[in-house]
Amino acid sequence: GPEVSGSTVVPAQPFGPASTCASRHGGHVIRILFAGLVAVLAAVPATARIGPPVDPATAAPRATTDYSEIALISDVATVRGGEPFWLGLVLDTRPGWHTYWENPGDSGLPTQIDWTLPEGYAAGPIQWPAPQRLPVGPLMNYGYKGGVVLLTRVTPPATLAGDQPPRFVAAARWLVCEEICVPEEATLGL
């Protein structure tokens, strides 16, 4: 992932070509491991925070838009120096609505996440789960009906500085569609 110096915004980066393992095994092993990780992340209670409560005037761990509910979750309650962990963006849409995969197909746009991380932390690319096929007339799109968890691996510096818990902010933008498409966005903090 990109290096972070100071309090820097890390632009969203789509996941690259399929890994060697995914190519060799049709992605089956990767999908099974990913499904297990998503199940673990979904079980993390909303109160399992990395830092102190986030000031609602800046960014909360959850938000509701006109067509979506979105939350920021973590697979750890405490960050340890040099030990990578996962942050997940949980994106749920109204019934019948959908969002898009990294390669949306013939139309649509993928969800983007711009991270603001503490000094010395690095965020990897979004890890996209396998999409659903979303045919629209003669077009073929790829995305997620109902909901998705988009994971990002974060690596802290080897030595953590200061006595304040780290704060992570995700500025997310996505396109949510049914008969029409609506761009939505939210900024979440954890």
Side-chain angles (χ1 to χ4, degrees):
E3 291 298 314
V4 177
S5 63
S7 185
T8 304
V9 174
V10 180
Q13 300 175 10
F15 186 63
S19 69
T20 305
C21 180
S23 302
R24 199 175 310 134
H25 300 290
H28 219 40
V29 172
I30 301 294
R31 284 189 207 108
I32 291 169
L33 291 173
F34 183 80
L37 183 57
V38 168
V40 168
L41 286 174
V44 174
T47 57
R49 298 178 188 256
I50 292 181
V54 177
D55 181 354
T58 56
R62 296 182 181 278
T64 301
T65 62
D66 290 339
Y67 301 96
S68 309
E69 290 184 9
I70 188 167
L72 187 58
I73 60 174
S74 174
D75 71 336
V76 298
T78 303
V79 174
R80 300 191 194 296
E83 293 182 18
F85 59 96
W86 294 94
L87 291 177
L89 188 75
V90 181
L91 182 55
D92 289 313
T93 62
R94 284 185 180 182
W97 290 72
H98 64 271
T99 59
Y100 291 97
W101 184 47
E102 67 173 321
N103 175 0
D106 293 324
S107 65
L109 294 169
T111 298
Q112 296 179 351
I113 307 169
D114 292 331
W115 293 100
T116 301
L117 304 171
E119 185 174 345
Y121 284 70
I126 295 173
Q127 301 298 303
W128 298 87
Q132 299 166 331
R133 294 171 54 114
L134 305 169
V136 178
L139 305 177
M140 181 57 66
N141 298 317
Y142 302 95
Y144 310 100
K145 288 184 180 180
V148 65
V149 179
L150 301 176
L151 299 173
T152 299
R153 185 177 183 198
V154 176
T155 303
T159 304
L160 300 178
D163 57 354
Q164 293 294 325
R167 178 152 185 233
F168 307 96
V169 176
R173 294 175 307 285
W174 64 98
L175 193 60
V176 60
C177 302
E178 186 193 39
E179 300 269 328
I180 61 166
C181 291
V182 179
E184 293 193 316
E185 61 182 22
T187 298
L188 307 171
L190 189 63

